[in-house]
Amino acid sequence: MEQKSNFTDLPEDIVMEILSRLPVKCLLQLKCVNRKWYVLIENPIFIQKHLHNTKNHTSYFVHHYFLDNMKSGFTLFHHDEQNQLIPKSHLYQDVLNTSTHLWQVLSPLNGLFLLYNDQEDVALWNPSTKEFKPLPISQPLNCPLYKLSSYKFGFGIEPSSGDYKVVWMRDYWDVDSEDWHSPTIISVYTLSTNSWRTFEELSVCSRDLVKSNGNTYLNGFYYWRACQNDKIFAFDMSNDKIVEIQTPKSFVSKQGDLSLFNDFIAMYIYVPIILGRETSIDIWIMEKNGYWTKNVRIGPFLNIKRSLGYGNNGEIFLEVVTCQLDIFDPFLKKNRVLGQQKSGYSLQAFAYNESLVSLKNNSSCNLVG
């Protein structure tokens, strides 16, 4: 009589390949089945393999502000078996272990979000595993005459160790002298040590930089663009140094956003075709520091109100004048309707991939970017 094989008897590499294609929710349940699967799913190699496989199963994350209760929240759009988008909305306060109800969001990296607010609360969050980690308080200036008036964040990975780092750039207003305090204060948080390192920087001010609507971390550097688009600044996660990079003169004073495009740092320049009605977008990529080429022009798009975010593969989230949120699909070359915010307004939108990346203070759990 032919003996039936058991799934647990399969070679470990076959089991890893099968399990790495499952959703995070299923894997968290399987960790409770037996010790062998728990060890496998916790393995950093498995986590990285799973992250690679989920890149083909992109969801969409929309950050909202709800007017009816004056709180911030989010909607996750998942694809069902018929490839239809299924939305599910939440308030941050309902899903996070915190009483704070107003958050701002930085574009996700390996499934992790950086959350922050004007009260100087900062946290890391993995929506898939429901891990939420408030970061220690960082108060570099305790003088009561100094008021925090401008700040920018960055979020990336130190390449050699795979450790996650948060960059917090702050400008303070001196109430007594009625002038900006100089120099700028930069604090760098490291996940493995759960601690901040703070230093002063004269070469850049946070008030001269613009927060990006898309992810701008690439190969060990986090990027911001200057307000006038005449340059960008790169923070080196390896040595905590800032590098200034010039942009083409044609970028200056143009409406644009910095993000990723096919694993390049890219500038999305908005080109009016018919004023107030039609707009095209030129995507310029930086092939190496300071060397830019125009990759493609997309559009024209009708009645764009503003852009809310970008995906690495060319997805663009656009709000039109009716407050409808669309996503431009680079493969179909057309817009797809995500939805309409009726009780508030959308602030940002991202392409999002589930991950098992842990927020434990252990660099061996992290991934090299």
Side-chain angles (χ1 to χ4, degrees):
M1 186 175 180
E2 187 174 341
Q3 187 177 6
K4 293 184 178 180
S5 59
N6 193 308
F7 180 76
T8 56
D9 296 330
L10 294 173
E12 185 172 310
D13 59 335
I14 301 298
V15 174
M16 178 181 285
E17 185 63 38
I18 295 171
L19 295 185
S20 68
R21 299 178 182 278
L22 295 179
V24 169
K25 184 177 180 179
C26 294
L27 292 172
L28 295 179
Q29 294 170 340
L30 288 175
K31 284 172 64 176
C32 303
V33 172
N34 62 51
R35 175 69 180 171
K36 183 178 179 181
W37 284 2
Y38 178 91
V39 172
L40 174 63
I41 294 169
E42 285 281 302
N43 189 317
I45 296 175
F46 177 85
I47 293 173
Q48 188 160 13
K49 187 176 187 64
H50 178 267
L51 185 65
H52 174 77
N53 288 338
T54 60
K55 289 183 178 180
N56 297 321
H57 305 282
T58 299
S59 302
Y60 303 122
F61 182 103
V62 182
H63 174 53
H64 301 291
Y65 181 75
F66 298 104
L67 291 173
D68 52 356
N69 52 26
M70 308 294 283
K71 296 179 179 181
S72 56
F74 65 95
T75 299
L76 269 174
F77 292 84
H78 291 287
H79 292 87
D80 64 11
E81 295 178 356
Q82 287 74 42
N83 201 34
Q84 299 297 310
L85 288 171
I86 307 299
K88 192 170 184 181
S89 297
H90 309 268
L91 293 175
Y92 289 109
Q93 194 174 16
D94 293 341
V95 298
L96 306 178
N97 185 25
T98 174
S99 60
T100 304
H101 58 265
L102 287 176
W103 291 100
Q104 298 185 60
V105 182
L106 208 63
S107 183
L109 174 63
N110 289 347
L112 303 181
F113 286 87
L114 177 69
L115 305 179
Y116 59 95
N117 59 31
D118 290 337
Q119 283 69 52
E120 300 189 68
D121 298 316
V122 186
L124 293 173
W125 175 45
N126 185 332
S128 302
T129 63
K130 297 181 172 57
E131 282 188 89
F132 175 72
K133 183 180 180 62
L135 303 193
I137 295 172
S138 173
Q139 294 180 333
L141 295 176
N142 293 318
C143 177
L145 295 178
Y146 291 151
K147 179 182 179 182
L148 179 61
S149 296
S150 175
Y151 57 86
K152 297 295 183 298
F153 279 95
F155 182 38
I157 302 171
E158 200 286 308
S160 62
S161 66
D163 211 345
Y164 287 86
K165 299 175 82 170
V166 175
V167 184
W168 192 359
M169 191 182 305
R170 285 175 276 188
D171 290 338
Y172 288 85
W173 182 258
D174 188 334
V175 177
D176 190 33
S177 65
E178 296 186 348
D179 198 2
W180 290 100
H181 168 78
S182 182
T184 292
I185 305 297
I186 296 181
S187 299
V188 180
Y189 170 85
T190 303
L191 180 59
S192 64
T193 62
N194 193 37
S195 62
W196 294 91
R197 183 179 85 86
T198 298
F199 56 94
E200 298 178 338
E201 180 62 51
L202 289 167
S203 66
V204 64
C205 300
S206 74
R207 60 189 182 274
D208 294 333
L209 305 181
V210 179
K211 175 186 175 181
S212 298
N213 276 332
N215 179 27
T216 54
Y217 168 79
L218 182 67
N219 298 332
F221 289 84
Y222 188 90
Y223 296 84
W224 301 271
R225 70 176 178 89
C227 294
Q228 296 298 317
N229 285 344
D230 57 335
K231 64 189 74 170
I232 63 174
F233 292 90
F235 185 90
D236 190 336
M237 295 287 172
S238 297
N239 57 24
D240 294 351
K241 302 293 185 183
I242 292 179
V243 180
E244 181 180 312
I245 303 169
Q246 295 297 314
T247 61
K249 291 182 179 180
S250 61
F251 289 7
V252 177
S253 299
K254 296 283 183 65
Q255 181 187 354
D257 275 322
L258 196 67
S259 191
L260 296 185
F261 180 76
N262 292 336
D263 294 321
F264 287 96
I265 284 294
M267 188 75 83
Y268 292 69
I269 299 294
Y270 287 71
V271 183
I273 304 300
I274 300 176
L275 192 61
R277 291 191 58 195
E278 289 190 7
T279 305
S280 291
I281 302 175
D282 290 341
I283 302 177
W284 292 70
I285 62 172
M286 187 174 71
E287 296 182 347
K288 58 183 180 180
N289 281 1
Y291 183 75
W292 299 78
T293 57
K294 188 165 82 170
N295 182 274
V296 65
R297 169 173 285 193
I298 57 175
F301 299 101
L302 292 174
N303 301 320
I304 291 179
K305 186 177 180 181
R306 57 185 175 138
S307 60
L308 295 180
Y310 307 88
N312 182 41
N313 298 317
E315 307 97 326
I316 304 178
F317 298 89
L318 299 167
E319 185 180 54
V320 297
V321 292
T322 59
C323 295
Q324 175 180 290
L325 180 59
D326 292 353
I327 177 171
F328 171 74
D329 189 316
F331 302 105
L332 299 177
K333 305 294 183 185
K334 65 178 184 180
N335 285 12
R336 185 177 185 181
V337 177
L338 273 185
Q340 192 166 16
Q341 185 62 38
K342 297 178 180 179
S343 60
Y345 50 90
S346 301
L347 299 172
Q348 292 170 275
F350 311 108
Y352 167 71
N353 298 100
E354 288 190 335
S355 89
L356 290 161
V357 176
S358 176
L359 296 177
K360 298 174 184 176
N361 302 336
N362 184 351
S363 61
S364 66
C365 293
N366 301 330
L367 305 173
V368 176

